[in-house]
């Protein structure tokens, strides 16, 4: 039987592991709720994973029209990204693609589902693991278990780590690899047992730490900054023999970048951004300094910290406590770990404030917050958590943290990719929440090859109305967070501590209910209803070579089918086609512009299409072709505008989608609340 002290310690460790497992499950399900597809960065990763898994090719020539994030080397096209996420995703892609190939899902559905599962088993899994390991770390450095759980949750769902755990970028994966490697080195420092079994376990931890930290720069080149800082920490903690083992494992993992460079570019030392150094190349910001990285600039530092458009502290205000947390360096107990944390924060801030020449670079382009700072975020938790052992700072962290969690809930539900036009992101997000519009990433994964796909969430896939799609997740949080805290809250004289999780549950439920409580109504003309009046008929139009006539009719009027379409988003593939090709359709009514300004309108069609606004043809794409897109910028005054959309499917499958991007809003399918037609349309 264990001595009482060791038995108590073993029970405490077992309890901590159970909480870590519950926290992991909670976070993984939260990340799994979202699928943000489409976009240049995501597509570049997915294209190369697919090319390598399905065809054994490193280049993405077959998918080159799918993303602008590419480089050209020897007449072949490659992603302009580090290859780590490709190397991690190839095996899951192969497995899921094979399994789903045995189902009756269409090929397009299989590809999207495969992409989602790869994201969930790489990015989502490691991000959830990082949150649970952070809880273990904080619980073992002297914090109360309640405080440790609070800050682990605050990092995972109250920073931009949350939205970037649901979109296929590699920054959060780099953060996970850096922090997990750091945790293993810290754990080795704490262990004192010298038994043979313990020694073998330590060697395995040393190797794993080296592999994680060595692979981090393969995921994101700037993660090399973190690898160097944490490697120095390992040098001070490990014996010479163990450090050699750690170093060899790190070099082995980092060599995968050399392997990729040789296979793709036939040279060992090459960073993809070197392709932009030639005169006239796109992304010219990389020509400044070292591949775009120069001396830190004060104005950029302000923009990525407190600036409204991309500021980290503006998005997650509780993180600004990192400044007063400098006083924790006076503590001797965890001084080494604190030095590592502050060194990482300072290094990434210096790098990001000197990166590029515009918001496209230092701001992460379309991004909620400066995404290049994501790898440093877990290292901000320790200093702030130690600072918040002082009650005034704890109250500040609680208040600012609650705002951050609510803000990140909305940002993740809507889109992690804030457009440039949204100079004030919270106004943009709040507007979308009030309208009940979630999962707004409208881009496809394989443009011009497979059908464009929309972002989605599990509520949408369950068929819930748009305004209720976040309510199940809010309910899950409202139930699960108090359960998590109940595992760690013991008897306490502070009445607020047991009640705080339930206050959080009420707040998150209120956020989930907000689209139902506040429902701004679009004015509706008398006798009109939502949706466009449509008529479809077999055969081509009377004049099928030109879309010049907005009152075009069909050859075979007798078989025409009439109805009303809430949105214009159709896929006709085989048995679900209304008629055998050729067939066509006309949709008429009005579109409501909520604000005056320039609207980007897009029609995706296979084959011909034409769009009329206020009787004027603005898109004339009347031809037989594969799936293609036509865009137009239209200046709308606030109010109603007549709309007519013509379509003809000449052969095989058909596709028609009407999308728009109002001022300051990412592209989306035109929602039903903005489309109208007479109630008794003929």
């Amino acid at each position: 039987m264990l001595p009482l002290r060791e038995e108590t310690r073993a029970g405490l460790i077992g309890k901590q592991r159970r909480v870590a497992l519950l926290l992991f499950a909670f976070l993984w399900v939260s990340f799994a709720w979202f699928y943000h597809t489409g976009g240049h960065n995501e597509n570049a990763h997915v294209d190369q994973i697919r090319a390598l898994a399905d065809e054994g090719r490193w280049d993405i020539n077959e998918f080159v029209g799918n993303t602008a994030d590419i480089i050209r080397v020897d007449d072949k096209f490659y992603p302009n990204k580090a290859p780590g996420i490709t190397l991690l995703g190839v095996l899951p892609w192969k497995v899921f693609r094979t399994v789903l190939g045995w189902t009756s899902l269409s090929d397009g559905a299989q590809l999207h589902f495969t992409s989602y599962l790869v994201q969930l088993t790489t990015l989502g899994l490691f991000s959830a693991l990082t949150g649970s390991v952070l809880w273990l770390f904080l619980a073992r450095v002297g914090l109360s278990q309640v405080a440790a759980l609070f800050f682990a949750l605050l990092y995972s769902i109250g920073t931009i780590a949350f939205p970037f755990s649901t979109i296929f970028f590699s920054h959060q994966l780099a953060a996970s690899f850096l922090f997990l490697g750091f945790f293993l080195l810290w754990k080795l420092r704490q262990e004192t047992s010298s038994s043979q079994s313990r020694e073998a376990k330590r060697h395995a931890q040393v190797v794993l730490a080296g592999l994680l930290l060595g692979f981090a720069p393969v995921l994101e080149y700037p993660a090399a900054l973190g690898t160097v800082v944490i490697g120095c920490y390992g040098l001070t903690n490990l014996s010479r023999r163990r450090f050699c083992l750690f170093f060899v494992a790190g070099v082995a993992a980092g060599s995968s970048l050399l392997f990729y460079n040789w296979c793709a570019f036939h040279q060992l030392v090459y960073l993809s951004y070197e392709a932009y150094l030639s005169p006239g190349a796109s992304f010219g910001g990389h020509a400044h300094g070292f591949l775009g990285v120069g001396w830190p600039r004060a104005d950029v530092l302000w923009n990525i910290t407190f600036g409204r458009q991309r500021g980290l502290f503006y998005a997650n205000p509780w993180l600004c406590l990192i400044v007063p947390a400098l006083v924790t360096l006076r503590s001797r107990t965890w001084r080494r770990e604190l030095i590592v944390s502050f060194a990482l924060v300072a290094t990434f801030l210096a790098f990001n404030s000197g990166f590029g020449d515009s918001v496209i670079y230092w701001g992460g382009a379309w991004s909620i917050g400066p995404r290049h700072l994501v790898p440093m975020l877990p290292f901000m938790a320790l200093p702030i958590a130690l600072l918040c052992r002082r009650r005034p700072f704890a109250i500040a962290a609680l208040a600012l943290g609650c705002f951050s969690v609510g803000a990140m809930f909305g940002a993740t539900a809507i889109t992690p990719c804030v457009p440039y036009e949204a100079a004030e992101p919270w106004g943009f997000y709040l507007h979308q929440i009030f309208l009940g519009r979630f999962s707004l990433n409208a881009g496809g994964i394989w443009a011009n090859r497979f059908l464009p796909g929309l972002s989605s969430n599990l509520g949408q896939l369950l068929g819930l109305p748009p305004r209720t799609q976040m309510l199940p997740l809010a309910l899950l949080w409202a139930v699960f967070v108090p359960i998590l805290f109940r595992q760690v809250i013991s008897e306490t004289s502070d009445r607020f501590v047991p009640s705080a999780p339930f206050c959080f549950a009420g707040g998150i439920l209120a956020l989930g209910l907000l689209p139902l409580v506040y429902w701004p109504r679009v004015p509706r003309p008398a006798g009109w209803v939502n949706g466009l009046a449509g008529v479809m008929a077999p055969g081509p139009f009377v004049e099928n070579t030109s879309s010049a006539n907005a009152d075009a009719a069909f050859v075979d009027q007798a078989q025409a089918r009439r109805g009303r379409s809430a949105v214009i988003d159709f896929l006709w593939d085989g048995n679900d086609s209304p008629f055998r090709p050729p067939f066509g359709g006309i949709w008429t009514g009005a579109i409501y512009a909520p604000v005056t300004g320039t609207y980007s309108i897009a029609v995706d069609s296979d084959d011909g299409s034409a769009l009329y606004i206020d009787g004027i043809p603005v898109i004339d794409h009347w031809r037989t072709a594969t799936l293609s897109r036509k865009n137009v910028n239209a200046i709308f005054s606030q109010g109603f505008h007549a709309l007519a959309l013509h379509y003809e499917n000449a052969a095989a499958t058909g596709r028609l989608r009407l999308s728009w991007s109002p001022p300051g809003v990412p592209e989306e399918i035109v929602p039903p609340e903005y489309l109208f037609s007479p109630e008794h349309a003929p």
Side-chain angles (χ1 to χ4, degrees), residues 521-540:
R521 304 284 181 175
V522 174
R524 180 184 302 172
W528 287 53
V529 294
N530 285 111
L532 296 178
V535 55
M536 301 186 68

Side-chain angles (χ1 to χ4, degrees), residues 212 246 298 332 353 373 381 454 551 614 626 637 642:
L212 288 166
F246 166 77
R332 293 184 178 182
S353 61
L373 294 182
L454 282 175
D551 297 321
D614 293 328
T626 57
S637 59

Side-chain angles (χ1 to χ4, degrees), residues 424-563:
E424 211 303 307
W426 303 131
F428 163 75
Y429 281 131
L430 196 59
H431 177 68
Q432 305 308 317
I433 290 175
F434 283 155
L435 292 175
R437 292 155 69 179
F438 303 110
S439 302
L440 294 188
N441 282 28
I445 298 183
W446 298 279
N448 301 322
R449 182 162 299 275
F450 295 101
L451 302 177
L454 282 175
S455 294
S456 59
N457 56 72
L458 294 186
Q460 180 179 340
L461 296 180
L462 291 171
L464 298 179
R467 292 180 176 276
T468 65
Q469 289 172 4
M470 290 302 114
L471 189 54
L473 181 61
L475 285 168
L476 174 69
W477 283 24
V479 171
F480 214 97
V481 168
I483 290 176
L484 276 171
F485 274 96
R486 188 167 181 81
Q487 304 298 309
V488 298
I489 291 177
S490 56
E491 293 184 7
T492 174
S493 59
D494 191 337
R495 295 181 180 179
F496 181 72
V497 172
S499 61
F502 296 98
C503 294
F504 168 82
I508 205 67
L509 269 179
L511 188 60
L513 290 168
L514 189 59
L516 295 174
V517 175
Y518 181 85
W519 192 334
R521 304 284 181 175
V522 174
R524 180 184 302 172
W528 287 53
V529 294
N530 285 111
L532 296 178
V535 55
M536 301 186 68
F541 282 111
V542 172
E543 299 179 8
N544 64 347
T545 58
S546 170
S547 59
N549 184 1
D551 297 321
F554 297 102
V555 170
D556 191 350
Q557 293 279 7
Q559 298 187 52
R561 299 180 183 178
R562 302 181 184 276

Side-chain angles (χ1 to χ4, degrees), residues 44 53 55 61 76 216 263 274 373 411 424 453 485 546 571 597 601 612 640-641 682:
E55 303 176 16
N61 284 20
K76 291 185 178 180
C263 292
E274 293 180 39
L373 294 182
E424 211 303 307
F485 274 96
S546 170
L571 163 62
I601 301 176
Y612 301 82
F640 294 92
H641 300 266

Side-chain angles (χ1 to χ4, degrees), residues 153-167:
L153 281 170
L154 204 50
Y155 160 73
S156 298
I157 61 176
T159 69
I160 58 175
F162 182 22
F164 284 105
S165 296
T166 66
I167 190 167

Side-chain angles (χ1 to χ4, degrees), residues 408-419:
M408 292 300 98
F409 183 91
T412 309
I414 295 164
T415 174
C417 301
V418 182

Side-chain angles (χ1 to χ4, degrees), residues 53-94:
D54 294 353
E55 303 176 16
R57 300 168 60 98
W58 293 100
D59 65 81
I60 58 171
N61 284 20
E62 188 174 356
F63 313 107
V64 70
N66 191 28
T67 173
D69 286 356
I70 55 175
I71 58 173
R72 184 174 182 174
V73 180
D74 297 332
D75 293 325
K76 291 185 178 180
F77 295 92
Y78 303 88
N80 65 358
K81 313 293 180 189
I85 201 167
T86 295
L87 301 177
L88 285 181
V90 167
L91 181 59
W93 181 281
K94 197 77 174 176

